[in-house]
Amino acid sequence: MTGSLLYPRVTSSRMKLSLDGMWKFKFDEAKAGLSEGWEKGLKGYEMMPVPGSFADLYTDKKKKNYCGDFWYETEFVMPKVNDKKVLLRFGSVTHRGVVFLNEVKIGEHEGGFLPFVLDITDVVKTGTNKLVVKVNNELSEVSLPCGAVKKNRDGSLTAKPYFDFFNYSGIQRSVELLILPEISVEDYELVYELSESEARVNCRVKLSCAEGDDGSLGVNISIIDENGKTASELELTKQDNAYIGTLTVSEPKLWNVLDPHLYDMSIKVHDEKGVIDEYTDRIGIRTVSVEGTDILINGKPVYLKGYGKHEDFDILGRTFNYSVAKRDFECMKWNGANCFRTSHYPYADEWYQFADEEGFLIIDEVPAVGMMRSTRNFVEAGMGHYTYFFETPTVPELLQNELNQVEEMIKRDKNHPSVIAFSLFNEPETTSEESFEYFSRVFERARELDPQKRPLTGALEKNSSPEKCQCYPLLDFICLNRYYGWYISGGEDIYEAEEKFRDELNRWKALETGKPFVMTEFGTDTLAGQHSLPGTMWSEEYQNEYYEMNFRVLDDYDFIKGELVWNFADFQTSEGIFRVGGNKKGIFTRERQPKSSAFVLKRRWEELKDRSK
Ligand code: GCB
């Protein structure tokens, strides 16, 4: 495994080759693949798209819901390269993968939503190479997300998520070969400080050869403005294992909410003979902070409007698709949103690049979801049922897994101007001392890792009440998922829902946390085209009334600094009596057409255009 999670770029010194396409594929129900030597080549295979989520491609129910081991294989031709490093990058393998190249095991990775990169220089051959990947999509109480596996009578397995989204799996993001110079940029980080007329950009670059660098190398960074003019350039200084320096950009054009200004950045590594490596990226100069009950971008308060989302689309499952992403941003801009949370896992790199270009704010979430022992968590959570979790002996293993994934997420996403906060959990049990100990470790680690020291948060469910929640003091702004008028006092009891919601917010207010609050989930399941007057549960009218009631309440509390409704679009879940063809809380249908609530939000968010507080 290499340390670099930089997005693969082609530059004067770097090449990439896509391995996407149709790969050989085979389920391994008996988990016999390893003992039978499947890494030498699959027999009796079918073809499967990479990237892709396999589930919704099938017409057979057992295959759609397959849980266990499954294998992929492809061949690729490696062009002749001299004195280069060859890396293999997987955008995501869900939930874990073991990789074999030319029959040699070259690495493995746990966690289905973040990239990993393997150095294959010594194993890859000029000419044809065979790449085989063993994937597994089982859930457990040490996996992120958490869940269980049920063993059926015929020996097959079924995934039982403790979370409310379909357990899409496979090689779900692109696979690429990266051909890099032997000495290359491994990572970089930028931290911004703003003053009246200039920005200071504190920069730190790590090279792949940190230890072996004898001091003969130089590292240069330049920032180029929208007109192609160099705004600042600097030769960095070697300090310990990195190259550091502070650039000054005068009269900078700041990256702002829905008004993004991006600069091109280029890092060049050189020796006395010339440039050895170049890495380029798009950067945005901006600061993020929390002061009192305000969330500040470039020192100015912002009010978050938008959505909890999913990577989810018909047939594609969780596969990234530029056209779907484009449509999503168009829909979000149309109704005045400025923010989304990557509920409940880090999304494909391209989502963040898109948000950088559009000026959208992202709360970036690690897949710490389902940390409550229930396959109907979303219902239990909404109703405030206590299900213990952090008292079990496997928790140290879970913690290690979460720490690794927090590290990978921050490493991958830290340079995106769109990322304004990291969310380190969704709706875990937070009322025990054990939960506090667990999350103290996670927050402490994240604080060390983020060079920009962005706000850290997590989304709290109903049982995490002002009186019982032990973990909210860890959060820089407090995120609440609340369903007053749906799971609590829904339908004819909606009047009580309003009282109960106000009562809870009054209790939070009484705590005088001095922190901003953001509603990260509230919503109702709504069948597009279901109408009723007066509004009744599941109808479009009810969804509208629900939101009007919720907004009335939120507007009375000035510590609320954002409203991210649940969910942007209808999405797929496991089957169950609470879900009609999936979760229908979308403001848009799964095909990205508006329900009437989309217009309610549009009206509100356009009126709130200038609301910053
Ligand atoms: C929640 C969960 C989310 C569910 C949602 C629901 O509290 O965080 O994953 O989808 O409720 O619709 O029940």
Side-chain angles (χ1 to χ4, degrees), residues 339-351:
C339 180
F340 63 91
R341 176 171 63 125
T342 68
S343 36
H344 295 305
Y345 38 81
Y347 292 1
D349 296 87
E350 292 80 3
W351 281 105

Side-chain angles (χ1 to χ4, degrees), residues 24 35-36 81 132 171 176 219 256 267 284 326 372 473 486 540 563:
K24 295 177 184 171
S35 58
E36 291 176 6
V81 289
V132 177
I171 301 181
E176 287 158 310
V219 177
N256 245 313
I267 299 171
K326 171 75 179 165
M372 246 199 256
W486 187 253
E540 296 201 18
E563 49 196 55

Side-chain angles (χ1 to χ4, degrees), residues 163-165 310 341 344 369 378-379 381-382 426-427 461 481 483 487 521 525 566 571 579 583 585:
F163 51 86
D164 185 36
F165 48 91
H310 265 297
R341 176 171 63 125
H344 295 305
V369 55
F378 51 94
V379 183
N426 182 69
E427 300 194 342
E461 55 93 15
N481 295 353
Y483 289 89
Y487 294 121
E521 284 186 27
D525 283 275
W566 191 255
F571 60 90
R579 296 290 175 253
N583 186 308
K585 293 196 186 67

